[in-house]
Amino acid sequence: MSINQLGVIGLGTMGANVARNAARNGAKVAVYNRTTKVMTDFMKEFESEGNFAGCESYEDMMKALHGPRAFLIMVKAGPAVDAVIADLLPHLQKGDVIIDAGNSHYPDTDRRVAELKDKGIRFLGMGVSGGEVGALEGPSMMPGGDKSAWEDCKDLLSKMAADDGQGGKCVAYIGDGGSGHFVKMVHNGIEYGIMQLLAETYDVLKHVAGYTNEQLAETFSHWNEGEDLQSFLIEITAKIFEKKDDLTSGDLIDSLDDAAGQKGTGKWTTISALHYGVAIPTINAAVDARIMSGSKQLRKKHASNAVRVDLEEPIPKPEQMRTIARSALHLSTLTAYAQGFELMKVASDEHKWNLDIPECARIWLGGCIIRSVLLKQFDDLFAESQWGGEKQVNIRKFLELANARGIATPSTSAAMNYYDSLRRESLPQSLVQAQRDFFGAHTYKRTDKEGTFHADWE
């Protein structure tokens, strides 16, 4: 039973563009917004693009859609989603599908799937990535929840999704319960990590190597042509350095405040990693960096703190500096992906979601914010061919140059520390074992015998 009738609830930028995307791909789309004027304005502007029905109430929406149908919710995550579901429920028929396509927290999606199943309503929690352009032209979509609902919506969602560049579409059934929103959450965590790594690269090139915005634009544009860094985020970063400020005679980047906002998905990723016992330091450092950027009063208080640096070592020539920075960005970006995939794997094992990690990487190849050529090699992120040569020397050199000049590189440093922790046969937490046993009799394990032990340290 293929569903080709869709009710879209919430006509903000993303909701409006998803509705237009569905209509362009042959669906009948009934649109509703709590503020009626938003709906009427939408109809005036886009009615000619497809088979739309403007609705002032849920009753109108039910009259507009007949036969197999799905209702796609595009409102702010949290209580607003529950409120829409509660208002919508009295009008639904058994077998109807609700799709929550916002950035809901995956435990909420778990709960909604179970609650609605008891009422005969099928529920999908679907992560959507691609921003406003992707929502219209083809996003990456990560649906999880009721599998029969996916089967019925599969044709429409596949038409709406981005191409993966390999003959497929950037949408796939993720798994039971809240798995779709979990994968989208991790996607956003990786996004935080990569964006911070790009910011640190920019900082070092500008304040160590003295690059101008023009040189930065050319550098990132050049990197976007390579097989090691080509990605959406590199592409837009190059364009950012080219943008002139309409209000001044300078470049827009130089007039922007440095406090970066966040909507919570990065924090949720960090909390989830702590819960599942997975180390994601590159991502965690990026979340901390955004928090630090917004800690204006604290930073102002310490702005005059003394900095002692060693500037005896000469700065590499511009071309050499670009090579060093490229290596650092490449290798550290690999760790952001690797940490996200490991978190997905461990959570999948705990919840028995049976996540297909290669498939998750594939559907991120197009449409989404973290699309990159690096996703094609997701299963070999720590290959000797990448980490065993000059690139590893370069990332260490990058960190030395930054640290010697007092420039913070939290995510790049975390990435290097992550790799160094992975490769060590023995870590110094043997001392932590001893300390815990010393003051708390927590016991310890040995390398030469099985079992647990306790020592009289005094």
Side-chain angles (χ1 to χ4, degrees), residues 98-145:
I98 297 177
I99 305 172
D100 172 15
N103 275 329
S104 288
H105 201 196
Y106 71 97
D108 290 337
T109 305
D110 269 332
R111 168 178 57 80
R112 291 164 185 152
V113 169
E115 290 175 352
L116 289 167
K117 183 178 181 180
D118 291 341
K119 295 177 171 61
I121 304 300
R122 299 178 294 168
F123 188 83
L124 289 174
M126 185 171 74
V128 178
S129 177
E132 60 182 278
V133 174
L136 178 62
E137 299 179 357
S140 172
M141 294 185 282
M142 296 146 260

Side-chain angles (χ1 to χ4, degrees), residues 25 43 57 80 129 131 143 240 270 278 315 323 343 378 412 419 427:
N25 283 285
M43 291 298 291
S57 65
S129 177
I240 285 168
T270 290
V278 178
I315 298 171
T323 299
L343 177 55
F378 80 96
T412 311
Y419 176 80
L427 292 171

Side-chain angles (χ1 to χ4, degrees), residues 178-395:
S179 59
H181 275 137
F182 182 86
V183 168
K184 175 54 164 56
M185 177 196 74
V186 175
H187 164 288
N188 285 22
I190 296 170
E191 180 184 303
Y192 273 58
I194 297 173
M195 291 173 71
Q196 176 61 25
L197 293 169
L198 288 165
E200 293 171 17
T201 305
Y202 154 58
D203 200 11
V204 171
L205 286 176
K206 181 173 182 177
H207 293 108
V208 174
Y211 274 41
T212 64
N213 291 335
E214 183 179 4
Q215 289 174 310
L216 288 164
E218 191 279 327
T219 296
F220 280 90
S221 180
H222 175 71
W223 288 350
N224 194 49
E225 297 171 358
E227 286 300 311
D228 54 345
L229 285 175
Q230 191 279 318
S231 67
F232 173 73
L233 285 169
I234 293 282
E235 176 187 347
I236 68 168
T237 299
K239 293 178 180 178
I240 285 168
F241 292 122
E242 295 175 342
K243 178 67 175 175
K244 296 300 180 182
D245 189 354
D246 294 337
L247 302 180
T248 72
S249 59
D251 298 324
L252 182 56
I253 184 66
D254 296 328
S255 296
L256 299 190
D257 187 78
D258 67 351
Q262 54 183 317
K263 292 188 176 180
T265 47
K267 178 183 71 174
W268 290 345
T269 307
T270 290
I271 293 170
S272 295
L274 292 171
H275 172 76
Y276 296 111
V278 178
I280 57 166
T282 309
I283 295 169
N284 289 343
V287 176
D288 279 342
R290 289 206 194 182
I291 294 171
M292 180 63 77
S293 77
S295 302
K296 291 283 195 176
Q297 290 302 316
L298 180 64
R299 290 167 52 205
K300 183 177 181 180
K301 177 181 177 182
H302 295 281
S304 60
N305 284 10
V307 178
R308 295 180 179 272
V309 296
D310 177 9
L311 300 178
E312 293 182 4
E313 188 174 0
I315 298 171
K317 294 180 180 180
E319 283 303 312
Q320 184 184 2
M321 190 68 209
R322 188 154 93 167
T323 299
I324 290 169
R326 181 175 192 156
S327 296
L329 182 57
H330 177 214
L331 295 185
S332 54
T333 299
L334 291 176
T335 71
Y337 284 116
Q339 291 163 24
F341 290 136
E342 181 64 16
L343 177 55
M344 288 160 60
K345 178 182 179 298
V346 171
S348 177
D349 290 344
E350 179 163 325
H351 292 280
K352 296 181 170 55
W353 284 333
N354 297 314
L355 292 185
D356 186 339
I357 306 297
E359 183 72 345
C360 291
R362 183 194 66 78
I363 65 174
W364 290 347
L365 285 171
C368 80
I369 303 301
I370 63 170
R371 60 185 184 267
S372 166
V373 293
L374 297 181
L375 286 165
K376 297 178 181 178
Q377 53 179 325
F378 80 96
D379 59 345
D380 200 18
L381 297 175
F382 296 105
E384 178 71 14
S385 59
Q386 296 181 135
W387 287 85
E390 191 66 19
K391 286 185 178 180
Q392 187 180 139
V393 175
N394 283 340
I395 187 174

